[in-house]
Amino acid sequence: MSAAVARAGRLEGKVVLITGAAGGLGQAMAHLFAAEGATLVLTDLGQDRLDALKAALSSSGYDRVLVMEQDVTDEALWEEVIDKTVAGFGRLDVLVNNAGIGYMADLEETSLAEWKRVHAINSEGPFLGTRKAIKVMKLTGGGSIVNISSIAGLIGAVNLAAYCSSKGAVRLFTKAAALHCARRGYNIRVNSVHPSFTETPMVRDMITSARNPDKMEAALATAAPMGRMGRPEEVAYAVLYLASDESSFVTGTELAVDGGNTAA
């Protein structure tokens, strides 16, 4: 039996909500989780991007998917998205708080408005989603919440002060939420994943907007001891582990997918 066949069904029977699903990491997760048997609820900004993702999934024979536009900073929309998920599928088993933005700027030139915007999306979004997910998951026996942070939430980086701060907040919020759920016996696990620079549209935009794109790309590729940037599917597989029952005794942890970047 092949390894691919042996792994099939790791999310069979689970209802999974992924925010930021139309981005590079989100699409990788959507395709992988569909192959592993999940029922998917995919949200993002831009209905056309979501429709394209749904069509791509359908072309591979997958149709257990609901797509909805969502601004993760909108508290009322979080209520609507999760309530519709439960109404449509009876439960929510996995939430992946993946939506996020990058922001590169000199600290002294970072405006308060940009600082607040980065934090609203990157750290307040996961808070709103986690809080609502806990309320419904605890009624159906538990679940798994995976918050996508970054290695910038573990170590500092020049010209990424707002981003580092927001992703660092995700890291410690995840631990606090994990303890909250564990102490109350909810059977809800909460973990964070910390990718390094990965081949996604967000990172590609950061490269092309740099003063010297070739130099920037080379720097990102050599930042990790493994000598390259990550691939979206490599992050998706890490999230799959935390979403599945294979990680049933894992909560409050931080999983770096960084080619050894934080090992030193």
Side-chain angles (χ1 to χ4, degrees), residues 102-126:
Y103 179 67
M104 177 173 281
D106 184 292
L107 171 59
E108 296 179 60
E109 297 174 1
T110 300
S111 69
L112 180 58
E114 285 297 338
W115 179 275
K116 288 182 175 180
R117 175 172 172 267
V118 171
H119 281 77
I121 296 169
N122 290 359
S123 60
E124 291 175 19

Side-chain angles (χ1 to χ4, degrees), residues 131-179:
R131 185 182 63 177
K132 176 62 175 177
I134 289 171
K135 291 178 181 179
V136 300
M137 286 179 174
K138 69 181 182 182
L139 300 178
T140 54
S144 173
I145 298 171
V146 184
N147 294 323
I148 305 301
S149 180
S150 167
I151 63 163
L154 300 173
I155 57 176
V158 176
N159 293 332
L160 288 172
Y163 186 74
C164 286
S165 175
S166 68
K167 291 301 189 177
V170 170
R171 171 180 175 265
L172 285 182
F173 167 69
T174 296
K175 294 180 183 297
L179 291 173

Side-chain angles (χ1 to χ4, degrees), residues 104 203-221 229:
M104 177 173 281
V203 171
R204 184 54 55 186
D205 288 344
M206 185 171 71
I207 292 171
T208 56
S209 64
R211 187 173 303 173
N212 187 328
D214 291 339
K215 183 177 180 181
M216 171 65 80
E217 184 164 9
L220 297 186
M229 287 193 284

Side-chain angles (χ1 to χ4, degrees), residues 30-85:
H31 284 282
L32 177 60
F33 292 6
E36 293 291 348
T39 295
L40 295 176
V41 179
L42 307 175
T43 76
D44 210 323
L45 295 174
Q47 189 64 45
D48 55 338
R49 300 166 68 223
L50 289 166
D51 289 343
L53 176 56
K54 184 176 182 179
L57 290 166
S58 296
S59 69
S60 61
Y62 179 84
D63 60 3
R64 287 181 294 155
V65 58
L66 173 66
V67 297
M68 288 183 276
E69 278 199 279
Q70 182 187 17
D71 175 353
V72 295
T73 69
D74 188 325
E75 184 174 3
L77 274 178
W78 268 113
E79 295 286 330
E80 180 181 341
V81 165
I82 292 185
D83 286 347
K84 282 185 175 179
T85 298

